[in-house]
Coordinates of all heavy atoms in Angstrom, one line a residue:
M1 N 7.8 -11.4 7.3 CA 6.6 -12.2 6.9 C 6.3 -12.0 5.5 O 6.3 -10.8 5.0 CB 5.5 -11.8 7.9 CG 4.3 -12.7 7.8 SD 3.1 -12.3 9.0 CE 3.2 -13.7 10.1
T2 N 5.8 -13.0 4.8 CA 5.5 -12.9 3.4 C 4.0 -12.9 3.2 O 3.2 -13.5 3.9 CB 6.1 -14.0 2.5 OG1 5.7 -15.2 3.0 CG2 7.6 -13.9 2.6
C3 N 3.5 -12.3 2.1 CA 2.1 -12.3 1.7 C 1.7 -13.7 1.2 O 2.4 -14.3 0.4 CB 1.9 -11.2 0.6 SG 0.3 -11.2 -0.1
Q4 N 0.6 -14.1 1.8 CA 0.1 -15.5 1.4 C -0.3 -15.5 -0.1 O -0.5 -16.6 -0.7 CB -1.1 -15.9 2.3 CG -0.7 -16.2 3.7 CD -1.9 -16.6 4.5 OE1 -3.0 -16.4 4.1 NE2 -1.6 -17.0 5.7
C5 N -0.6 -14.4 -0.7 CA -1.1 -14.3 -2.1 C 0.1 -14.2 -3.1 O 0.2 -15.0 -4.0 CB -2.0 -13.1 -2.2 SG -2.6 -12.9 -3.9
C6 N 1.0 -13.3 -2.9 CA 2.0 -13.0 -3.9 C 3.4 -13.5 -3.5 O 4.3 -13.6 -4.3 CB 2.1 -11.6 -4.3 SG 2.7 -10.5 -3.0
G7 N 3.6 -13.7 -2.2 CA 4.9 -14.2 -1.7 C 6.0 -13.1 -1.4 O 7.0 -13.4 -0.9
F8 N 5.7 -11.8 -1.7 CA 6.6 -10.8 -1.4 C 6.4 -10.4 0.1 O 5.4 -10.6 0.7 CB 6.3 -9.5 -2.3 CG 6.7 -9.7 -3.7 CD1 5.7 -9.8 -4.7 CD2 8.0 -9.7 -4.1 CE1 6.0 -10.0 -6.0 CE2 8.3 -9.9 -5.5 CZ 7.3 -10.0 -6.4
E9 N 7.5 -9.8 0.6 CA 7.4 -9.4 2.0 C 6.3 -8.4 2.3 O 6.1 -7.4 1.5 CB 8.8 -8.7 2.4 CG 9.9 -9.7 2.4 CD 9.8 -10.7 3.6 OE1 9.3 -10.4 4.7 OE2 10.1 -11.9 3.3
L10 N 5.6 -8.6 3.4 CA 4.6 -7.6 3.8 C 5.1 -6.2 4.1 O 4.5 -5.2 3.9 CB 3.8 -8.1 5.0 CG 2.9 -9.3 4.8 CD1 2.3 -9.7 6.1 CD2 1.8 -9.1 3.7
S11 N 6.4 -6.2 4.5 CA 7.1 -4.9 4.8 C 7.4 -4.1 3.5 O 7.8 -3.0 3.6 CB 8.3 -5.2 5.6 OG 9.2 -6.0 4.9
S12 N 7.2 -4.7 2.4 CA 7.5 -3.9 1.1 C 6.4 -3.0 0.8 O 5.2 -3.4 0.7 CB 7.7 -4.9 0.0 OG 7.8 -4.2 -1.2
G13 N 6.7 -1.7 0.6 CA 5.8 -0.7 0.1 C 5.9 -0.4 -1.3 O 5.4 0.6 -1.8
T14 N 6.5 -1.3 -2.1 CA 6.7 -1.1 -3.5 C 5.9 -2.0 -4.4 O 6.1 -2.0 -5.6 CB 8.2 -1.2 -3.8 OG1 8.6 -2.6 -3.6 CG2 9.1 -0.2 -3.1
V15 N 5.0 -2.8 -3.9 CA 4.2 -3.7 -4.7 C 3.1 -2.8 -5.3 O 2.3 -2.2 -4.6 CB 3.7 -4.8 -3.9 CG1 2.9 -5.8 -4.7 CG2 4.8 -5.6 -3.2
I16 N 3.0 -2.9 -6.6 CA 2.0 -2.1 -7.4 C 1.1 -3.1 -8.1 O 1.5 -4.1 -8.7 CB 2.7 -1.2 -8.4 CG1 3.7 -0.2 -7.8 CG2 1.6 -0.4 -9.2 CD1 3.1 0.9 -6.9
R17 N -0.2 -2.8 -8.1 CA -1.2 -3.6 -8.8 C -2.2 -2.7 -9.5 O -2.4 -1.6 -9.1 CB -2.0 -4.5 -7.8 CG -1.2 -5.5 -7.1 CD -1.0 -6.8 -7.9 NE -0.3 -7.8 -7.1 CZ 1.0 -8.0 -7.1 NH1 1.8 -7.3 -7.8 NH2 1.4 -9.0 -6.4
V18 N -2.7 -3.2 -10.6 CA -3.7 -2.4 -11.4 C -5.0 -3.2 -11.4 O -5.0 -4.4 -11.7 CB -3.3 -2.1 -12.8 CG1 -4.4 -1.4 -13.6 CG2 -2.0 -1.3 -12.8
D19 N -6.1 -2.6 -11.0 CA -7.4 -3.2 -11.0 C -7.8 -3.4 -12.5 O -8.0 -2.4 -13.2 CB -8.4 -2.4 -10.2 CG -9.8 -3.1 -10.2 OD1 -10.1 -4.0 -10.9 OD2 -10.6 -2.6 -9.4
A20 N -8.0 -4.6 -12.9 CA -8.3 -4.9 -14.3 C -9.7 -4.3 -14.8 O -9.8 -3.9 -15.9 CB -8.3 -6.4 -14.6
E21 N -10.6 -4.2 -13.8 CA -11.9 -3.6 -14.2 C -11.9 -2.1 -14.3 O -12.5 -1.5 -15.2 CB -13.0 -4.1 -13.2 CG -13.3 -5.6 -13.3 CD -14.3 -6.0 -12.3 OE1 -15.2 -5.2 -11.9 OE2 -14.3 -7.2 -12.0
S22 N -11.4 -1.4 -13.3 CA -11.4 0.0 -13.2 C -10.2 0.7 -13.9 O -10.3 1.9 -14.2 CB -11.5 0.5 -11.8 OG -10.3 0.3 -11.1
G23 N -9.1 0.0 -13.9 CA -7.8 0.6 -14.4 C -7.1 1.4 -13.4 O -6.1 1.9 -13.7
H24 N -7.6 1.5 -12.2 CA -7.0 2.2 -11.1 C -5.7 1.5 -10.6 O -5.7 0.3 -10.6 CB -7.9 2.4 -9.9 CG -9.0 3.3 -10.1 ND1 -10.3 3.0 -9.8 CD2 -9.1 4.5 -10.7 CE1 -11.1 4.0 -10.1 NE2 -10.4 4.9 -10.7
T25 N -4.7 2.3 -10.3 CA -3.4 1.8 -9.8 C -3.5 1.8 -8.3 O -3.9 2.7 -7.6 CB -2.3 2.6 -10.3 OG1 -2.3 2.6 -11.7 CG2 -0.9 2.1 -9.8
Y26 N -3.0 0.7 -7.7 CA -2.9 0.5 -6.2 C -1.5 0.2 -5.8 O -0.8 -0.5 -6.5 CB -3.8 -0.6 -5.8 CG -5.3 -0.3 -5.9 CD1 -5.9 -0.4 -7.1 CD2 -6.0 0.2 -4.9 CE1 -7.3 -0.1 -7.3 CE2 -7.4 0.5 -5.0 CZ -8.0 0.4 -6.2 OH -9.3 0.7 -6.4
K27 N -1.1 0.7 -4.6 CA 0.2 0.4 -4.1 C 0.0 -0.1 -2.7 O -0.9 0.2 -1.9 CB 1.0 1.7 -4.0 CG 2.5 1.5 -3.6 CD 3.2 2.8 -3.5 CE 3.4 3.3 -2.1 NZ 3.9 2.4 -1.1
S28 N 0.9 -1.0 -2.3 CA 0.8 -1.6 -0.9 C 1.3 -0.7 0.1 O 2.2 0.1 -0.1 CB 1.7 -2.9 -0.9 OG 3.0 -2.6 -1.1
C29 N 0.7 -0.7 1.3 CA 1.1 0.0 2.4 C 1.7 -1.0 3.4 O 1.0 -1.9 3.9 CB -0.1 0.8 3.1 SG 0.4 1.5 4.7
P30 N 3.0 -0.9 3.7 CA 3.6 -1.9 4.6 C 3.0 -1.9 6.0 O 2.9 -2.9 6.7 CB 5.1 -1.5 4.7 CG 5.2 -0.1 4.1 CD 4.0 0.1 3.3
H31 N 2.5 -0.7 6.5 CA 1.9 -0.7 7.8 C 0.5 -1.3 7.9 O 0.2 -2.1 8.7 CB 1.8 0.8 8.3 CG 1.6 0.9 9.8 ND1 2.7 0.9 10.7 CD2 0.5 1.0 10.5 CE1 2.2 1.0 11.9 NE2 0.9 1.1 11.8
C32 N -0.3 -1.0 6.9 CA -1.6 -1.7 6.8 C -1.4 -3.2 6.6 O -2.1 -4.0 7.1 CB -2.4 -1.1 5.6 SG -3.1 0.5 5.9
S33 N -0.4 -3.6 5.7 CA -0.2 -5.0 5.5 C 0.3 -5.7 6.7 O -0.2 -6.8 7.0 CB 0.9 -5.1 4.4 OG 0.5 -4.5 3.2
A34 N 1.1 -5.1 7.5 CA 1.6 -5.7 8.8 C 0.4 -5.9 9.8 O 0.3 -6.9 10.4 CB 2.7 -4.9 9.4
T35 N -0.5 -4.9 9.8 CA -1.7 -5.0 10.6 C -2.6 -6.1 10.2 O -3.1 -6.9 11.0 CB -2.5 -3.7 10.7 OG1 -1.6 -2.6 11.2 CG2 -3.7 -3.8 11.5
H36 N -2.7 -6.3 8.9 CA -3.5 -7.4 8.3 C -2.9 -8.7 8.7 O -3.6 -9.6 9.1 CB -3.7 -7.2 6.8 CG -4.6 -8.3 6.2 ND1 -4.1 -9.5 5.9 CD2 -5.9 -8.2 5.9 CE1 -5.1 -10.2 5.4 NE2 -6.2 -9.5 5.4
G37 N -1.6 -8.8 8.5 CA -0.8 -10.0 8.9 C -0.7 -11.1 8.0 O 0.2 -12.0 8.2
S38 N -1.4 -11.2 6.9 CA -1.3 -12.3 6.0 C -1.3 -11.9 4.5 O -0.8 -12.7 3.7 CB -2.3 -13.4 6.2 OG -3.6 -12.9 6.0
E39 N -1.8 -10.8 4.1 CA -1.8 -10.3 2.8 C -1.4 -8.8 2.7 O -1.7 -8.1 3.7 CB -3.2 -10.5 2.1 CG -3.5 -11.9 1.7 CD -4.8 -11.9 0.8 OE1 -4.8 -11.3 -0.2 OE2 -5.7 -12.6 1.2
H40 N -0.9 -8.4 1.6 CA -0.7 -7.0 1.3 C -2.0 -6.3 1.3 O -3.0 -6.8 0.9 CB 0.0 -6.7 0.0 CG 1.5 -7.0 0.0 ND1 2.0 -8.0 -0.8 CD2 2.5 -6.4 0.6 CE1 3.3 -8.0 -0.6 NE2 3.6 -7.1 0.2
V41 N -2.0 -5.1 1.8 CA -3.2 -4.2 1.8 C -2.8 -3.0 0.9 O -1.8 -2.4 1.1 CB -3.6 -3.7 3.2 CG1 -4.8 -2.7 3.1 CG2 -4.0 -4.9 4.0
F42 N -3.6 -2.8 -0.1 CA -3.4 -1.8 -1.2 C -4.3 -0.6 -1.0 O -5.5 -0.8 -0.7 CB -3.5 -2.4 -2.6 CG -2.5 -3.4 -2.9 CD1 -2.6 -4.7 -2.5 CD2 -1.4 -3.0 -3.6 CE1 -1.7 -5.6 -2.9 CE2 -0.4 -3.9 -4.0 CZ -0.5 -5.2 -3.6
H43 N -3.8 0.6 -1.4 CA -4.7 1.8 -1.4 C -4.4 2.4 -2.8 O -3.3 2.2 -3.4 CB -4.3 2.7 -0.3 CG -4.6 2.2 1.1 ND1 -5.8 2.0 1.6 CD2 -3.7 1.7 2.0 CE1 -5.7 1.5 2.8 NE2 -4.5 1.2 3.0
Q44 N -5.3 3.2 -3.2 CA -5.2 3.9 -4.5 C -4.0 4.8 -4.6 O -3.7 5.5 -3.7 CB -6.5 4.7 -4.9 CG -6.6 4.9 -6.4 CD -8.0 5.4 -6.7 OE1 -8.9 5.4 -5.9 NE2 -8.1 5.8 -8.0
Y45 N -3.2 4.6 -5.7 CA -2.0 5.3 -5.9 C -2.1 6.3 -7.0 O -2.6 5.9 -8.1 CB -0.9 4.3 -6.1 CG 0.5 4.9 -6.5 CD1 1.3 5.5 -5.5 CD2 0.9 4.9 -7.8 CE1 2.5 6.0 -5.9 CE2 2.1 5.4 -8.2 CZ 2.9 6.0 -7.2 OH 4.1 6.6 -7.6
P46 N -1.7 7.5 -7.0 CA -0.9 8.1 -5.9 C -1.8 8.8 -4.8 O -1.4 9.3 -3.8 CB -0.1 9.2 -6.6 CG -0.9 9.6 -7.8 CD -1.7 8.3 -8.2
Y47 N -3.2 8.8 -5.1 CA -4.1 9.6 -4.3 C -3.9 9.4 -2.8 O -3.9 10.3 -2.0 CB -5.5 9.3 -4.7 CG -6.6 10.0 -3.8 CD1 -6.8 11.3 -4.0 CD2 -7.2 9.3 -2.8 CE1 -7.7 12.0 -3.1 CE2 -8.2 9.9 -2.0 CZ -8.4 11.3 -2.2 OH -9.3 11.9 -1.4
D48 N -3.8 8.1 -2.3 CA -3.8 7.8 -0.9 C -2.4 7.8 -0.3 O -2.2 7.6 0.9 CB -4.4 6.4 -0.6 CG -5.9 6.4 -0.8 OD1 -6.5 7.4 -0.5 OD2 -6.4 5.4 -1.3
F49 N -1.4 8.2 -1.1 CA 0.0 8.2 -0.7 C 0.7 9.6 -0.8 O 1.4 10.0 0.1 CB 0.9 7.2 -1.5 CG 0.5 5.8 -1.1 CD1 -0.5 5.2 -1.8 CD2 1.2 5.1 -0.1 CE1 -0.8 3.9 -1.5 CE2 0.8 3.8 0.2 CZ -0.2 3.2 -0.5
G50 N 0.5 10.3 -1.9 CA 1.2 11.5 -2.1 C 2.5 11.2 -2.7 O 3.1 10.2 -2.6
M51 N 3.1 12.2 -3.4 CA 4.4 12.0 -4.1 C 5.2 13.3 -4.0 O 5.5 14.0 -4.9 CB 4.2 11.7 -5.6 CG 3.5 10.4 -5.8 SD 3.4 9.8 -7.5 CE 3.4 11.2 -8.5
P52 N 5.7 13.6 -2.8 CA 6.5 14.8 -2.6 C 7.9 14.6 -3.3 O 8.5 13.6 -3.3 CB 6.7 15.0 -1.1 CG 6.5 13.6 -0.6 CD 5.5 12.9 -1.5
S53 N 8.4 15.7 -4.0 CA 9.6 15.6 -4.8 C 10.8 15.3 -3.9 O 11.8 14.8 -4.4 CB 9.8 16.8 -5.6 OG 9.9 18.0 -4.7
A54 N 10.8 15.6 -2.6 CA 11.9 15.3 -1.7 C 12.2 13.8 -1.6 O 13.3 13.4 -1.2 CB 11.6 15.9 -0.3
D55 N 11.3 13.0 -1.9 CA 11.5 11.5 -1.8 C 11.9 10.9 -3.1 O 12.0 9.6 -3.2 CB 10.2 10.8 -1.3 CG 9.8 11.2 0.1 OD1 10.7 11.5 0.9 OD2 8.7 11.0 0.5
V56 N 12.2 11.6 -4.1 CA 12.7 11.1 -5.4 C 14.2 10.7 -5.2 O 15.0 11.5 -4.8 CB 12.6 12.1 -6.5 CG1 13.2 11.6 -7.8 CG2 11.1 12.4 -6.8
T57 N 14.4 9.4 -5.5 CA 15.8 8.9 -5.4 C 16.0 7.9 -6.6 O 15.0 7.6 -7.3 CB 16.1 8.1 -4.1 OG1 15.2 6.9 -4.1 CG2 15.8 8.9 -2.9
S58 N 17.2 7.4 -6.8 CA 17.3 6.4 -7.8 C 16.6 5.1 -7.5 O 16.1 4.4 -8.5 CB 18.8 6.1 -8.0 OG 19.4 5.5 -6.8
A59 N 16.4 4.8 -6.3 CA 15.6 3.6 -5.9 C 14.1 3.8 -5.9 O 13.3 2.9 -6.0 CB 16.0 3.1 -4.5
N60 N 13.7 5.1 -5.9 CA 12.3 5.5 -5.8 C 12.1 6.7 -6.8 O 11.9 7.8 -6.4 CB 11.9 5.9 -4.4 CG 10.5 6.3 -4.2 OD1 9.7 6.0 -5.1 ND2 10.1 6.8 -3.1
P61 N 12.2 6.4 -8.1 CA 12.2 7.5 -9.1 C 10.9 8.3 -9.2 O 10.9 9.4 -9.6 CB 12.5 6.8 -10.4 CG 12.2 5.4 -10.2 CD 12.4 5.1 -8.8
D62 N 9.8 7.6 -8.7 CA 8.5 8.3 -8.7 C 8.3 9.2 -7.5 O 7.4 10.0 -7.4 CB 7.3 7.3 -8.9 CG 7.3 6.7 -10.2 OD1 7.7 7.3 -11.2 OD2 6.9 5.5 -10.3
G63 N 9.1 9.0 -6.4 CA 9.0 9.7 -5.2 C 7.8 9.4 -4.3 O 7.4 10.2 -3.5
F64 N 7.3 8.2 -4.5 CA 6.1 7.9 -3.7 C 6.4 7.7 -2.2 O 7.6 7.3 -1.9 CB 5.4 6.7 -4.2 CG 6.2 5.4 -4.3 CD1 6.5 4.7 -3.2 CD2 6.6 4.9 -5.5 CE1 7.2 3.5 -3.2 CE2 7.4 3.8 -5.6 CZ 7.7 3.0 -4.5
Q65 N 5.5 7.9 -1.4 CA 5.6 7.7 0.1 C 5.5 6.2 0.3 O 4.8 5.5 -0.4 CB 4.5 8.4 0.8 CG 4.6 9.9 0.8 CD 5.6 10.4 1.7 OE1 6.0 9.8 2.7 NE2 6.1 11.6 1.5
G66 N 6.2 5.7 1.4 CA 6.1 4.3 1.7 C 4.8 3.9 2.2 O 4.2 2.9 1.7
C67 N 4.3 4.6 3.2 CA 3.0 4.2 3.9 C 1.9 5.2 3.4 O 2.2 6.3 3.0 CB 3.1 4.3 5.4 SG 4.2 3.1 6.1
C68 N 0.7 4.7 3.5 CA -0.5 5.6 3.1 C -0.5 6.8 4.0 O 0.0 6.8 5.1 CB -1.7 4.8 3.1 SG -2.3 4.2 4.7
R69 N -1.3 7.8 3.6 CA -1.4 9.0 4.4 C -1.9 8.8 5.8 O -1.3 9.4 6.8 CB -2.3 10.0 3.7 CG -1.9 10.5 2.4 CD -3.0 11.4 1.8 NE -2.8 11.6 0.4 CZ -2.2 12.7 -0.1 NH1 -1.7 13.6 0.7 NH2 -2.1 12.8 -1.4
K70 N -2.8 7.9 6.0 CA -3.4 7.6 7.3 C -2.4 7.0 8.2 O -2.3 7.3 9.4 CB -4.6 6.7 7.2 CG -5.8 7.3 6.4 CD -6.5 8.3 7.2 CE -7.7 8.8 6.3 NZ -8.6 9.7 7.0
C71 N -1.6 6.1 7.7 CA -0.6 5.4 8.5 C 0.6 6.3 8.9 O 1.2 6.1 10.0 CB -0.1 4.1 7.9 SG -1.3 2.8 7.9
R72 N 0.9 7.3 8.1 CA 2.0 8.2 8.4 C 1.7 9.0 9.6 O 2.6 9.6 10.2 CB 2.4 9.0 7.2 CG 3.0 8.2 6.1 CD 3.7 9.1 5.1 NE 3.0 10.2 4.6 CZ 2.2 10.2 3.5 NH1 2.0 9.1 2.8 NH2 1.6 11.3 3.1
T73 N 0.5 9.1 10.0 CA 0.1 10.0 11.2 C 0.1 9.2 12.5 O -0.1 9.7 13.5 CB -1.3 10.7 11.0 OG1 -2.3 9.7 10.9 CG2 -1.3 11.5 9.7
L74 N 0.3 7.9 12.4 CA 0.2 7.0 13.6 C 1.5 7.1 14.4 O 2.6 7.2 13.9 CB -0.1 5.5 13.2 CG -1.4 5.3 12.5 CD1 -1.4 3.8 12.0 CD2 -2.6 5.6 13.3
A75 N 1.3 6.9 15.7 CA 2.5 6.8 16.6 C 3.2 5.4 16.4 O 2.5 4.5 15.9 CB 2.0 6.9 18.1
A76 N 4.4 5.4 16.7 CA 5.2 4.1 16.6 C 4.5 3.0 17.3 O 4.1 3.2 18.5 CB 6.6 4.3 17.1
G77 N 4.4 1.9 16.7 CA 3.8 0.7 17.3 C 2.3 0.6 17.3 O 1.7 -0.4 17.6
E78 N 1.6 1.7 16.8 CA 0.2 1.7 16.7 C -0.3 1.0 15.5 O 0.2 1.2 14.4 CB -0.3 3.2 16.7 CG -1.8 3.4 16.8 CD -2.2 4.8 16.9 OE1 -1.3 5.7 16.9 OE2 -3.4 5.1 16.9
S79 N -1.3 0.1 15.6 CA -1.9 -0.6 14.5 C -2.6 0.3 13.5 O -3.2 1.3 13.9 CB -2.8 -1.7 15.0 OG -2.1 -2.7 15.7
S80 N -2.6 0.0 12.3 CA -3.3 0.7 11.3 C -4.8 0.7 11.5 O -5.4 -0.4 11.7 CB -3.0 0.2 9.9 OG -3.9 0.8 8.9
R81 N -5.5 1.8 11.4 CA -6.9 1.9 11.4 C -7.5 2.0 10.0 O -8.7 2.0 9.8 CB -7.4 3.1 12.3 CG -7.0 2.9 13.8 CD -7.5 4.1 14.6 NE -7.0 5.3 14.2 CZ -6.0 5.9 14.8 NH1 -5.4 5.4 15.8 NH2 -5.5 7.1 14.4
N82 N -6.6 2.1 9.0 CA -7.0 2.3 7.6 C -7.0 0.9 6.9 O -7.4 0.9 5.7 CB -6.0 3.2 7.0 CG -6.6 3.9 5.7 OD1 -7.7 4.2 5.6 ND2 -5.7 4.1 4.8
V83 N -6.6 -0.1 7.6 CA -6.5 -1.4 6.9 C -7.8 -1.9 6.3 O -7.7 -2.5 5.2 CB -5.9 -2.5 7.9 CG1 -6.9 -2.8 9.0 CG2 -5.5 -3.7 7.2
K84 N -8.9 -1.7 6.9 CA -10.2 -2.1 6.3 C -10.7 -1.3 5.1 O -11.5 -1.8 4.4 CB -11.2 -2.2 7.4 CG -11.0 -3.2 8.5 CD -12.0 -3.3 9.5 CE -11.7 -4.4 10.5 NZ -12.7 -4.6 11.5
K85 N -10.1 -0.2 4.9 CA -10.4 0.6 3.7 C -9.6 0.3 2.5 O -9.9 0.8 1.4 CB -10.2 2.1 4.1 CG -11.2 2.6 5.1 CD -11.0 4.0 5.4 CE -12.0 4.4 6.5 NZ -11.8 5.8 6.9
G86 N -8.6 -0.6 2.7 CA -7.8 -1.0 1.5 C -8.3 -2.2 0.9 O -9.3 -2.8 1.3
R87 N -7.6 -2.6 -0.2 CA -7.9 -3.9 -0.9 C -6.8 -4.9 -0.7 O -5.6 -4.5 -0.8 CB -8.0 -3.6 -2.4 CG -9.2 -2.6 -2.6 CD -9.8 -2.6 -3.9 NE -9.9 -3.8 -4.6 CZ -10.1 -3.9 -5.9 NH1 -10.1 -2.8 -6.7 NH2 -10.2 -5.1 -6.5
V88 N -7.2 -6.1 -0.4 CA -6.2 -7.1 -0.1 C -5.6 -7.6 -1.5 O -6.2 -7.5 -2.5 CB -6.7 -8.3 0.7 CG1 -7.0 -7.8 2.2 CG2 -7.9 -9.0 0.1
C89 N -4.4 -8.2 -1.4 CA -3.7 -8.6 -2.6 C -4.5 -9.6 -3.4 O -4.6 -9.4 -4.7 CB -2.4 -9.3 -2.1 SG -1.1 -9.6 -3.4
S90 N -5.2 -10.5 -2.8 CA -6.0 -11.5 -3.6 C -7.1 -10.9 -4.4 O -7.6 -11.5 -5.3 CB -6.5 -12.6 -2.7 OG -7.3 -12.1 -1.6
S91 N -7.6 -9.7 -4.0 CA -8.7 -9.0 -4.7 C -8.2 -8.3 -5.9 O -9.0 -7.8 -6.7 CB -9.4 -8.1 -3.8 OG -8.7 -6.9 -3.6
L92 N -6.9 -8.2 -6.1 CA -6.3 -7.4 -7.3 C -5.5 -8.3 -8.2 O -4.8 -7.9 -9.1 CB -5.4 -6.3 -6.8 CG -6.1 -5.2 -6.1 CD1 -5.1 -4.3 -5.4 CD2 -6.9 -4.4 -7.2
R93 N -5.6 -9.6 -8.1 CA -4.9 -10.5 -9.0 C -5.6 -10.8 -10.3 O -6.7 -10.7 -10.4 CB -4.6 -11.9 -8.3 CG -3.6 -11.7 -7.2 CD -3.1 -13.0 -6.8 NE -1.7 -13.0 -7.4 CZ -1.0 -14.1 -7.5 NH1 -1.5 -15.2 -7.1 NH2 0.1 -14.1 -8.0

């Protein structure tokens, strides 16, 4: 499924946006985005994700986690409870 705002897949955790007013960087959480169902949901990066060095690869040179910290603790198939704390794609354009 694609984001109604930017057209990228909701399952992508690599979409990065910067808030023009605050200068804060945000990254999409694929689990929160899937729960939302129509737009990417972003959380502050790296604070809400973490960047352990074990995840550094050529495809992920910064080593960021795919899902936000709250979603990584959920059981398989459980909907995100953190979705309402994020910012939707259209609010960061």
